[in-house]
Amino acid sequence: MGGRKDGSPSSSIDSSSHPALSTASSLSQPRRDLSTDLRLGLSLSTSSLQDGSSSARDDWPPIKPLLRSTLTEKGHQIQRQSATFFVKVYMEGIPIGRKLDLFALDGYDGLIKTLRRMFRASIMRPDIAQMPTNKDHVLTYEDKEGDWMMVGDVPWEYDFLPPLLILLPSILNSICH
Amino acid sequence: MTYFPEEVVEHIFDFLATHRDRNTVSTVCKTWYRVERLSRRSVFVGNCYAVHPERVVARFPGLRSLTVKGKPHFADFNLVPHDWGGFALPWIEAAARGCPGLEELRMKRMVVSDESLELLARSFPNFKVLVLISCEGFSTDGLAAIATYCRVLRELDLQENEVEDRGPQWLSCFPDSCTSLVSLNFACLKGEVNAGSLERLVARCPNLRTLRLSRAVSVDTLSKILARAPHLVDLGTGSFTIDHRAEAYHKVMGNFIKCKSLRSLSGFWDAAPHCLPAVYPICGNLTGLNLSYAPAIQCADLIKLIRQCSKLQRLWILDCIGDKGLAVVANTCKELQELRVFPSDFYGGGIAAVTEEGLVAVSSGCPKLNSLLYFCNQMTNAALITVAKNCPHFTRFRLCILDPKKPDPVTNQPLDEGFGAIVQSCKDLRRLSLSGLLTDRVFLYIGMYAERLEMLSIAFAGDSDKGMVYVLNGCKNLRKLEIRDSPFGDAALLEDVGKYETMRSLWMSSCDVTLGGCKALAAKMPGLNVEVINEMDESDEMEENPCDLDKVEKMYVYRTVAGPRNDAPDFVWTL
């Protein structure tokens, strides 16, 4: 039958039961010393918490499972949401550019729509076969190797983070399919 | 009373509002017992294992409303193993056989299977109200059965249940003839929702007053629903993700304006700050607001919203509101009665969210405050003493300092004096949860002053058995005592064994109680079930030879007239 057999009562805090030092005991009795670990963990500085502290307990603090799972999930999302990534966008021939937060957009669709509104230009999309007209523009960026590429071929989820975007009249390129 | 015909006695009993009073009059004499049991319409069973369902049904054949609670409260915090028990089926089966007139069933922390929901749906032609709180074990198929067969269903209220998603079709199972819904809460469901079915259902139920939508319901659907049901009183908004530049935003704001009866708002699952102004038009009427599922909304936007809610009586919020935000609550919400502040970042290392300052501000500005659940990073004795003085009307006071055993940061003292002030000042206190560094002294105070206390939750507190004994000796009205990670052992447990028959239950986990102590208790008190919960630990050789000196990991003791239960899993030993 399970139970704590040694002498250390659960309510003591002393350095000999520091989580980092007592990994052996905490492994062999997984549900045992958590209370001690917890108290020490929470009262130490953030540096010690951040090492693998997804050992966050599921029984402390005392909140219900629905709230716990909602907040855990949101915790990850919010880190992403509050980050921004502003990129400069220029239209060829116009010296004054615009700025755009890529993290606030919803994929390439969002990017193209926003740029269309900003520049009042029609922008070609690589995934849609279309006959280019004189008015079309192509959205391009310079990749790490210094080559000018058309935006849209690499999946959005691969963290498309170019330093600069340029809208070029499509007539300059023969990229049309 | 022999001069009065039984109908008159029965009529007099109608005036008895509480279960307690009705239970009392039934013990006066045989005649009163009979009159009472035949005229009883509503029964509350606080512990499903305290009595056999058959016995309840046999005694009260005219039963219309049944409430049953299952697992101990600490099950909410993952302290009770998953398959400990608390099954709904025996209750539904017994009722199906003995009380066909059943109209209402309310269950909390019970395991409810689809099979039992189906039996429920088919067995009671007059079934009107189903409320399931913190239950599990069922899926949307069970809900489909309820929707299909309960022809006069008025209320389907699912609060924080674990429901397996088997598709959105359950909502379409409400027949076209179903127009009786008054309350529908499916906020806890995780799966897709058939928007069309939902809209049609809302449209044909003119009496619908409470509607709490799940996360899967879009703003677009919400907007249509509001347009159809402007008489809603209580709304759970669903996902509430709107692009505030979009037309949908203006539409939903326009529809909110029409909802003049709206008094309570919740949901806001994915709400971002720029969505909130959509509800500003109705904030002035709100008496209840729950933003505890909206961590993306930070202090500044919360403040803007709360400034408009001057009639608020109940506020559930995340601690990102901060002390500053609580000061705004104190200035604005003069009618506030219930406040719950939940922790938004509990993995440690976060920004200090709320402290004692926020609580003091609210206590000072909101004199009607009587119910509190407050998660904070720190608390001082001085603050608690001030709060006790400002708000002597607390009936529920639950404080959770996130760092267990944390002392008063100003004086480095335990929080005994602070909590002592609370129990001394709040004469009507019925429920109390303690936290922070606490010695036996706080229990001395509780035993001395907390005369009306019915439920006490203790975690990481006390020095010795004396603490627990003070409580058991002092609190005459104690019904539920739950203790975790505190140094109370056999001496305290066995000090006054008769006490436990006056209480509903006692829970102790990670304390110093031994197997021997539990056995002794069980031997002395046959009217109690003493359950020892051992989660098998494969690496632990001692499992095979349990020794009386071994400390017990988890123990649950409750009074019962049903004897040891026959559905206990292997890891639960009833001694």
Side-chain angles (χ1 to χ4, degrees):
Chain A
M1 117 152 201
R4 285 169 289 114
K5 301 153 294 300
D6 67 357
S8 68
S10 61
S11 46
S12 70
I13 304 178
D14 71 277
S15 55
S16 64
S17 47
H18 187 290
L21 301 171
S22 62
T23 42
S25 62
S26 59
L27 280 174
S28 62
Q29 291 157 359
R31 292 189 79 81
R32 258 225 40 201
D33 256 320
L34 288 180
S35 52
T36 317
D37 295 349
L38 166 73
R39 284 195 299 282
L40 290 175
L42 287 179
S43 54
L44 291 173
S45 65
T46 53
S47 53
S48 53
L49 287 170
Q50 272 151 16
D51 45 73
S53 281
S54 52
S55 57
R57 310 201 41 185
D58 60 356
D59 64 1
W60 190 267
I63 59 175
K64 291 191 180 169
L66 186 58
L67 183 63
R68 183 180 294 277
S69 60
T70 305
L71 293 177
T72 311
E73 175 208 321
K74 290 305 186 64
H76 300 316
Q77 272 182 28
I78 281 166
Q79 277 160 13
R80 180 84 208 187
Q81 270 173 21
S82 56
T84 59
F85 189 86
F86 281 94
V87 63
K88 292 183 195 169
V89 189
Y90 287 90
M91 169 94 84
E92 215 255 358
I94 299 174
I96 298 177
R98 301 289 302 264
K99 258 194 169 169
L100 195 59
D101 178 8
L102 287 187
F103 281 4
L105 296 172
D106 184 25
Y108 288 119
D109 277 354
L111 174 61
I112 302 285
K113 275 198 194 122
T114 309
L115 287 176
R116 277 203 189 123
R117 229 181 30 232
M118 273 182 169
F119 290 94
R120 283 190 270 277
S122 98
I123 302 170
M124 276 181 61
R125 297 177 49 153
D127 51 342
I128 296 174
Q130 51 194 137
M131 289 306 294
T133 67
N134 282 347
K135 296 196 198 108
D136 274 347
H137 284 75
V138 166
L139 187 60
T140 62
Y141 67 102
E142 188 179 16
D143 75 2
K144 293 193 186 99
E145 287 141 31
D147 301 319
W148 284 95
M149 310 296 294
M150 185 173 173
V151 167
D153 289 320
V154 176
W156 182 264
E157 300 78 50
Y158 283 37
D159 270 350
F160 174 61
L161 305 170
L164 184 67
L165 294 173
I166 298 196
L167 282 168
L168 298 172
S170 67
I171 213 154
L172 289 182
N173 308 291
S174 39
I175 328 172
C176 42
H177 299 290
Chain B
M1 285 301 267
T2 46
Y3 304 127
F4 292 116
E6 288 185 6
E7 301 81 60
V8 175
V9 176
E10 184 181 316
H11 184 63
I12 295 173
F13 286 173
D14 276 348
F15 291 99
L16 297 172
T18 68
H19 297 287
R20 216 166 277 183
D21 287 341
R22 287 201 70 122
N23 292 344
T24 306
V25 300
S26 70
T27 62
V28 166
C29 65
K30 284 206 178 114
T31 307
W32 281 30
Y33 178 87
R34 190 179 69 245
V35 171
E36 199 283 317
R37 73 172 256 265
L38 293 174
S39 62
R40 179 93 87 138
R41 298 288 169 255
S42 166
V43 168
F44 171 82
V45 178
N47 174 2
C48 64
Y49 290 120
V51 60
H52 284 305
E54 293 78 24
R55 192 161 157 182
V56 173
V57 160
R59 180 173 166 186
F60 303 112
L63 199 52
R64 300 235 179 97
S65 162
L66 177 63
T67 304
V68 188
K69 295 170 101 173
K71 298 184 196 178
H73 173 241
F74 273 173
D76 283 350
F77 316 130
N78 296 314
L79 283 172
V80 177
H82 192 68
D83 24 1
W84 171 85
F87 301 105
L89 189 59
W91 289 91
I92 295 175
E93 280 175 338
R97 281 191 291 266
C99 312
L102 191 71
E103 295 181 5
E104 305 180 3
L105 181 64
R106 293 175 174 82
M107 295 195 143
K108 187 169 186 178
R109 284 189 212 102
M110 294 194 69
V111 177
V112 184
S113 61
D114 283 344
E115 180 198 350
S116 34
L117 286 178
E118 199 161 335
L119 180 62
L120 174 69
R122 291 182 192 265
S123 306
F124 307 105
N126 234 15
F127 196 74
K128 298 196 171 87
V129 173
L130 179 61
V131 179
L132 298 176
I133 304 174
S134 301
C135 295
E136 51 168 349
F138 61 103
S139 76
T140 47
D141 285 352
L143 297 179
I146 299 287
T148 307
Y149 298 108
C150 299
R151 299 278 154 167
V152 289
L153 194 67
R154 256 190 3 220
E155 218 175 294
L156 177 59
D157 187 359
L158 306 170
Q159 295 180 31
E160 301 193 59
N161 302 291
E162 293 268 345
V163 185
E164 189 195 330
D165 177 50
R166 296 227 185 113
Q169 53 274 17
W170 70 275
L171 204 54
S172 318
C173 289
F174 284 104
D176 289 341
S177 53
C178 172
T179 57
S180 48
L181 278 181
V182 172
S183 171
L184 177 62
N185 172 7
F186 60 93
C188 63
L189 295 189
K190 301 205 169 110
E192 287 305 309
V193 170
N194 186 324
S197 292
L198 177 60
E199 289 165 37
R200 284 190 295 277
L201 180 62
V202 169
R204 65 178 183 273
C205 293
N207 297 321
L208 195 65
R209 294 292 172 267
T210 297
L211 180 63
R212 295 196 183 181
L213 306 170
S214 65
R215 210 161 163 184
V217 178
S218 69
V219 166
D220 208 44
T221 306
L222 171 65
S223 201
K224 293 191 189 141
I225 286 172
L226 290 178
R228 304 269 211 176
H231 36 263
L232 281 176
V233 172
D234 183 325
L235 174 72
T237 65
S239 80
F240 218 68
T241 312
I242 334 173
D243 181 347
H244 65 283
R245 292 159 301 191
E247 207 187 299
Y249 177 80
H250 295 289
K251 224 196 272 184
V252 84
M253 189 196 267
N255 286 329
F256 263 116
I257 294 175
K258 295 189 199 140
C259 296
K260 306 278 184 214
S261 312
L262 211 48
R263 295 287 172 269
S264 175
L265 274 185
S266 60
F268 298 99
W269 293 98
D270 296 294
H274 53 245
C275 308
L276 289 185
V279 303
Y280 284 178
I282 43 103
C283 282
N285 292 332
L286 286 182
T287 56
L289 181 61
N290 181 355
L291 288 166
S292 54
Y293 295 104
I297 304 175
Q298 296 297 309
C299 180
D301 298 292
L302 287 173
I303 287 177
K304 271 191 246 168
L305 180 64
I306 286 170
R307 279 227 165 91
Q308 323 220 14
C309 302
S310 55
K311 296 205 185 132
L312 220 50
Q313 293 173 16
R314 187 174 44 85
L315 176 63
W316 292 22
I317 202 133
L318 289 171
D319 61 3
C320 26
I321 192 173
D323 289 333
K324 207 172 74 161
L326 288 177
V328 174
V329 172
N331 280 332
T332 313
C333 308
K334 295 302 182 188
E335 302 298 313
L336 197 68
Q337 294 177 28
E338 177 180 327
L339 175 67
R340 295 196 188 189
V341 180
F342 295 98
S344 56
D345 173 23
F346 42 84
Y347 293 122
I351 314 148
V354 295
T355 68
E356 74 277 7
E357 280 180 34
L359 183 58
V360 169
V362 175
S363 74
S364 158
C366 307
K368 297 189 183 174
L369 195 64
N370 60 47
S371 175
L372 180 76
L373 173 58
Y374 196 75
F375 287 84
C376 58
N377 284 305
Q378 63 180 50
M379 185 54 57
T380 64
N381 282 310
L384 284 174
I385 292 168
T386 306
V387 169
K389 233 187 311 194
N390 289 340
C391 292
H393 304 299
F394 274 118
T395 54
R396 292 184 210 88
F397 190 90
R398 292 191 281 168
L399 185 70
C400 182
I401 300 167
L402 291 168
D403 188 357
K405 303 185 82 161
K406 184 168 179 167
D408 177 331
V410 171
T411 62
N412 229 31
Q413 293 297 301
L415 292 176
D416 302 334
E417 299 306 313
F419 280 105
I422 294 283
V423 292
Q424 201 173 349
S425 164
C426 303
K427 309 251 184 280
D428 292 323
L429 196 66
R430 288 191 323 253
R431 184 169 180 184
L432 177 65
S433 292
L434 307 170
S435 59
L437 182 65
L438 295 164
T439 71
D440 287 342
R441 196 162 184 82
V442 72
F443 300 112
L444 174 67
Y445 292 143
I446 291 173
M448 267 168 65
Y449 296 113
E451 285 175 8
R452 298 248 167 89
L453 194 65
E454 295 177 7
M455 182 169 176
L456 179 61
S457 306
I458 301 170
F460 304 100
D463 305 315
S464 76
D465 288 331
K466 276 200 281 193
M468 185 169 161
V469 172
Y470 288 142
V471 171
L472 293 174
N473 284 343
C475 299
K476 299 274 170 275
N477 286 302
L478 195 64
R479 288 190 298 122
K480 286 183 280 185
L481 180 58
E482 47 185 25
I483 307 173
R484 60 169 291 184
D485 295 276
S486 300
F488 305 135
D490 296 339
L493 181 68
L494 298 170
E495 165 81 16
D496 179 6
V497 294
K499 175 76 178 173
Y500 306 124
E501 276 195 337
T502 69
M503 290 166 52
R504 183 186 299 171
S505 65
L506 167 69
W507 168 279
M508 293 179 76
S509 58
S510 303
C511 296
D512 292 349
V513 171
T514 69
L515 183 58
C518 294
K519 283 183 180 171
L521 177 60
K524 287 192 190 174
M525 301 294 296
L528 301 176
N529 276 358
V530 179
E531 290 189 9
V532 169
I533 298 166
N534 327 286
E535 287 160 287
M536 295 301 167
D537 194 345
E538 273 135 29
S539 61
D540 200 336
E541 291 145 15
M542 293 290 279
E543 292 290 349
E544 282 123 46
N545 299 309
C547 159
D548 280 2
L549 294 176
D550 285 347
K551 286 190 191 167
V552 157
E553 192 59 42
K554 295 173 185 176
M555 178 198 77
Y556 184 49
V557 176
Y558 54 91
R559 68 178 175 192
T560 179
V561 295
R565 55 185 176 114
N566 54 15
D567 62 0
D570 288 338
F571 54 81
V572 173
W573 297 7
T574 307
L575 300 177

